[in-house]
Amino acid sequence: MMRWIWVAALALAAGDATAQPYLGSELGFTLVPNLRLVATDNDWGTRCDLLINPNRLETGTECDTPPPPTEWTNDSGSGQGIAAGLAAGYRFGRFRAEVEYRYRATSHNDFAPTQIGDVVTAQKADQELERAVGGGGDFTMHGLFTNLAVDLGAARQPLNTYVGVGAGVQRVAIDYLSLWKRNPDPARIATFEDAALRAKLAGTTTLGAAGLDDTMFSVQILGGVDYRVADGLTIGNRIRYATGLGAFLSEPREWDQLRSHDSSVGRGSRILYTVETRDTSALTVILILRYDL
């Protein structure tokens, strides 16, 4: 889509010898919807953890082959924050084409109960997990977009409305937390019947706290009102809705703690988790200041 916006801009430039360059800045606030984070890892079952159970007590065939991925989700609430940007472009009569740098930062900090996907882990949560929470904290985005807009009012009027579309690439970062804590009372631990293993597992924690990031393509629609306050100087309000194409997917990360030990189960490979979300859309309301060069 970015290519077609540039093609349209070049076509306009070829047909209009009075193209007017301009610079612009923007500042405002942004609203983002609920953030649903879906995570998976390649962890083995607790009984198969050789750092907890080196003698392989009370194990069966479940420890003979690597298990399927474990999945869990956390729903953080909606967030709000700030948005800012810079733009450079050309006006061709009623049309404008611009390149825009955008930044936005929002805060969720709503760590919700963990929803566990597989039946075995879910049953274990009911029996022995004292706490299982997680979600997203701060959410930031740096983006580079190409926009094409058209004025809806009469040309050269002081007050004008416009609509437009844009496409670009954005770097998204999410502060992520996932915490699992077992009950400190060995009698509440259902994984093992052996008292020594129950005591060894009681009170252990699994913790992942990391800044996760990904690069995404994004599209946006925008509209606004401009008011020319002086020759070459315009102020206005713009409303923008932007959403990523595809899903945010983090690189695999090691746990900070896995059952209170290293991110391993003593089987020669690391235990890694990834986090995914499609909830990267945002509604932004901003104040525009534009200066014709």
Side-chain angles (χ1 to χ4, degrees):
M1 186 173 181
M2 289 184 68
R3 182 182 67 177
W4 291 112
I5 292 176
W6 276 113
V7 170
L10 292 173
L12 291 170
D16 191 339
T18 61
Q20 175 66 56
Y22 65 84
L23 297 175
S25 62
E26 59 184 56
L27 180 66
F29 70 92
T30 185
L31 302 174
V32 293
N34 292 348
L35 181 64
R36 183 175 181 83
L37 298 175
V38 181
T40 58
D41 75 354
N42 61 335
D43 190 19
W44 292 69
T46 306
R47 294 188 183 196
C48 305
D49 185 341
L50 298 181
L51 302 182
I52 295 290
N53 185 17
N55 296 321
R56 309 189 186 206
L57 302 178
E58 304 178 25
T59 59
T61 58
E62 74 270 19
C63 298
D64 293 342
T65 57
T70 300
E71 180 179 292
W72 65 95
T73 61
N74 297 102
D75 290 308
S76 294
S78 59
Q80 59 186 12
I82 62 169
L86 297 171
Y90 282 88
R91 178 188 294 277
F92 313 95
R94 295 176 59 187
F95 295 90
R96 294 198 302 271
E98 65 183 24
V99 175
E100 174 191 33
Y101 163 75
R102 287 178 46 216
Y103 168 80
R104 63 180 170 93
T106 56
S107 180
H108 292 271
N109 292 317
D110 184 8
F111 300 117
T114 299
Q115 305 166 45
I116 304 170
D118 70 279
V119 175
V120 173
T121 307
Q123 290 175 343
K124 187 181 297 182
D126 292 336
Q127 295 167 347
E128 63 184 57
L129 284 178
E130 181 181 67
R131 191 180 186 201
V133 297
D138 293 334
F139 182 113
T140 59
M141 186 279 295
H142 295 268
L144 187 64
F145 286 78
T146 301
N147 301 324
L148 182 63
V150 56
D151 293 337
L152 302 179
R156 309 305 298 173
Q157 292 298 310
L159 185 65
N160 211 340
T161 60
Y162 64 91
V163 294
V165 295
V169 62
Q170 57 186 15
R171 187 68 174 175
V172 177
I174 301 173
D175 288 338
Y176 178 71
L177 171 72
S178 183
L179 172 65
W180 312 66
K181 184 179 183 303
R182 283 182 167 81
N183 198 292
D185 181 3
R188 298 289 300 276
I189 304 301
T191 300
F192 297 109
E193 295 183 5
D194 182 83
L197 289 176
R198 284 175 178 254
K200 191 173 183 180
L201 192 58
T204 58
T205 60
T206 296
L207 173 64
L212 309 177
D213 51 54
D214 192 18
T215 300
M216 309 174 62
F217 289 102
S218 182
V219 294
Q220 60 183 3
I221 57 175
L222 50 93
V225 178
D226 283 344
Y227 182 71
R228 191 170 67 251
V229 296
D231 288 342
L233 183 62
T234 300
I235 62 172
N237 288 108
R238 173 179 288 183
I239 298 177
R240 172 195 294 116
Y241 176 78
T243 185
L245 298 177
F248 171 99
L249 180 62
S250 73
E251 293 291 332
R253 296 293 297 256
E254 294 188 4
W255 291 100
D256 297 284
Q257 292 184 107
L258 179 64
R259 305 182 191 96
S260 293
H261 60 61
D262 191 30
S263 191
S264 167
V265 292
R267 294 176 175 270
S269 60
R270 309 299 293 174
I271 304 303
L272 306 173
Y273 68 90
T274 59
V275 179
E276 181 178 354
T277 184
R278 292 186 175 272
D279 300 333
T280 59
S281 62
L283 179 67
T284 305
V285 179
I286 51 180
L287 176 67
I288 296 287
L289 179 64
R290 187 164 55 248
Y291 179 71
D292 295 335
L293 298 177

